[in-house]
Amino acid sequence: MKILVPVKRVVDYNVKVRVKSDGTGVETTNVKMSMNPFDEIAVEEAVRLKEAGVATEIVAVSIGVTQVQETLRTALAIGADRAIHVQTDLETQPLGVAKALKALVDKEQPGLVILGKQAIDDDANQTGQMLAALLGWSQATFASKVKVEGETVTVTREIDGGLETLALKLPAIVTTDLRLNEPRYVTLPNIMKAKKKPLDTVTPDALGVDFAPRLKTLKVSEPAKRGAGKQVGSVAELVEKLKNEAKAI
């Protein structure tokens, strides 16, 4: 079975995000970028499935500017067999990404697509669901456990009330949550090996996909600073302030 793993290049989660002075977005110039953490978990899970003898090939995919090839090389160093870069300078939005991934799925014919539940930059949490709808495939989101047996994938997913277990017929879409696994440390030898693994580049036109943005960002601003806390002398005073000042009750 072939597994397709989409990955996204985002601002590193350790970086303090700064809003541009003109309010059009966040500053990415001279900012450390890395693979979206949820996608890193997806790559790790695909590699574990291959190590278990379930999968035969792992294909990593990323969409964006030339620099996303660095993210793909990281996926190759973790254990992906080859990579595909859909090169575009346009802003990537969930629907356009889902359409590009559908075109690649039609071409590659994977049995399973594993991707992060959301990207930490836009927090959209839409791409996996949109891809499943476009393909007409079964989907399981927020996976905390994945088990493939024959033509069925059993997914334990995290929901508000606890855990839910689903059995899906392959092919299927799975989006990963944080507790699915802990990605392995990428060693220097594997980084060197990744440089020799195949990385193909395609254009949106070759896939028949229009990446023209359908959403427009009007303004980006930092959250309001929190005010200083207040000490109260009694429960009655606390209730009074929650009711009349904070309007919380």
Side-chain angles (χ1 to χ4, degrees), residues 75-95:
L76 293 171
I78 294 173
D81 298 296
R82 58 187 176 92
I84 301 173
H85 173 209
V86 182
Q87 187 164 10
T88 177
D89 293 328
L90 296 175
E91 177 188 356
T92 56
Q93 296 182 351
L95 182 58

Side-chain angles (χ1 to χ4, degrees), residues 47-65:
V47 173
R48 293 188 183 190
L49 288 173
K50 184 180 178 182
E51 291 173 343
V54 173
T56 55
E57 185 181 25
I58 301 169
V59 182
V61 179
S62 192
I63 301 168
V65 296

